[in-house]
């Protein structure tokens, strides 16, 4: 396998970023990615998720027809070293991206642009979240293939549907696509090259409040949904404040609101000259490591019930508050897991802070951790760039992440497993 040059790396990143892999459109990029892996000597694997299997998983809707998995392949490349009896390490990244609206971008989001200043960064949708992190997994694997004295396997995964709940990784966790077991994984999400051992869960709930319409000239004849919603929103804000104080975790002390409750979308009314008679709001509710989505849901539902009991109209016309979309269970691994130790030691040797941290977002790590595979989240870039216009990543950090992954994988694959 020929050595990689910086030009090779940049060309690979540019080509990967140029694919529009907005959720559901991953297949062309995955075909290209799998072909590149095969050309470089990887044994390749491919799988698609079965919606019927995912429907039985708590992250996904119960109805298989609501899970868009068809035509969304995940692919992987495997390198085997020595006897092949040593540990197997997975380097995982997702190829799908969130939509990129034209507003706020200085050019086509899928035409990568390199900065001309000393910082040297690349801008495109997926630069931080997380196609470049996925590319780093490939670069590190190619470097590791050149090393001597290793025993075991290295797997590079490009998965589909992470933004839709982790379709590709969940499928690989539920039904192993390989003829061997997996001992640990690193998911190269943007963590500013710090080791993340705990990720927050997410409960998604849709609230519908019904009032009674009336002409805006005689609003007293109607029942306005907006004051009712404001009572509910205040009650949930109070719950958020209470949970920030009562639900504690040492890795989340740095966050001002560790378990946010956010109404991310609210729509109400149908006509400017009518009392709004229907409101729909979608909430994202944080779930701490150690909690469950169902447990937090019970607390949220109970708080809504209090508001309903104290309001005559809501008591007679109770709002609905149902799950929608996908749910993210929280996940956490022991800081003494061998893969965590390997990454931390690589960081320390290179003079970086190796303190394990928690993240207020969810990742595919939860699927592998649930399957008994210790999984660390670690990669280049900042989550503050994720889903943003002009999404970018610093190239020097990309190269640093590659070096650190090479050193960590070398250490992990050299460890004594007897």
């Amino acid at each position: 396998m020929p050595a990689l040059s910086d030009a090779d790396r940049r060309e690979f990143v540019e080509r990967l970023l140029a694919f529009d892999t907005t959720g559901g459109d991953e297949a062309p990029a995955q075909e290209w990615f799998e072909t590149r892996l095969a050309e470089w000597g990887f044994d390749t694997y491919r799988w698609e998720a079965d919606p019927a299997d995912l429907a039985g998983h708590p992250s996904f809707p119960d109805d298989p027809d609501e899970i868009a998995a068809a035509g969304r392949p995940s692919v992987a490349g495997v390198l085997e070293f020595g006897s092949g009896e040593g540990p197997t390490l997975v380097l995982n990244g997702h190829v799908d991206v969130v939509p990129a609206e034209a507003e706020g971008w200085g050019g086509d989001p899928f035409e990568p642009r390199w900065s001309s200043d000393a910082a040297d960064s690349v801008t495109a949708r997926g630069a931080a979240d997380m196609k470049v992190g996925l590319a780093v997994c490939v670069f590190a694997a190619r470097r590791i293939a050149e090393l001597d004295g290793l025993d075991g396997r290295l797997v590079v995964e490009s998965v589909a549907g992470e933004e839709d709940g982790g379709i590709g990784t969940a499928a690989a966790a539920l039904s192993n696509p390989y003829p061997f077991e997996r001992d640990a994984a690193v998911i190269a999400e943007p963590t500013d090259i710090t080791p993340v051992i705990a990720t927050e869960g997410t409960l998604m709930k849709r609230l519908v409040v019904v009032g009674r319409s009336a002409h805006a000239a005689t609003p007293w004849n109607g029942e306005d949904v907006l004051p009712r919603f404001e009572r509910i929103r205040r009650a949930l804000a109070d719950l958020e404040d209470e949970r920030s104080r009562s639900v504690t975790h040492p890795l989340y002390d740095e966050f001002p609101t560790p378990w946010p409750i956010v109404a991310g979308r609210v729509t109400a009314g149908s006509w400017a000259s009518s009392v709004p008679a229907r409101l729909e709001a979608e909430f994202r509710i944080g779930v701490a490591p150690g909690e469950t989505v169902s447990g937090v849901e019970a607390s949220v539902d109970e708080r809504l019930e209090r508001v309903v009991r104290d309001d005559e109209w809501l008591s007679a016309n109770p709002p609905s508050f149902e799950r929608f979309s996908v749910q993210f269970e929280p996940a956490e691994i022991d800081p003494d897991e061998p893969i965590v130790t390997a990454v931390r030691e690589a960081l320390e040797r290179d003079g970086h802070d190796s303190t394990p941290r928690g993240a207020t977002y969810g990742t595919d790590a939860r699927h592998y951790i649930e399957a008994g595979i210790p999984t660390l989240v670690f990669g280049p870039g900042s989550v503050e760039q994720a889903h943003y216009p002009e999404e970018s990543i610093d190239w020097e950090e990309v190269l640093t992440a590659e070096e650190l992954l090479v050193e960590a994988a070398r250490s992990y694959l050299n460890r004594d497993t007897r």
Side-chain angles (χ1 to χ4, degrees), residues 287-302:
V287 182
E291 295 187 303
T292 64
V293 166
S294 295
V296 172
E297 183 175 33
S299 298
V300 172
D301 288 349
E302 190 277 333

Side-chain angles (χ1 to χ4, degrees), residues 27 54 84 117 147 186 202 225 289 321 329 337 416:
L54 296 185
D117 57 23
L147 303 178
V186 175
T202 301
V225 293
F321 201 25
E329 290 286 350
E337 283 287 348
D416 188 351

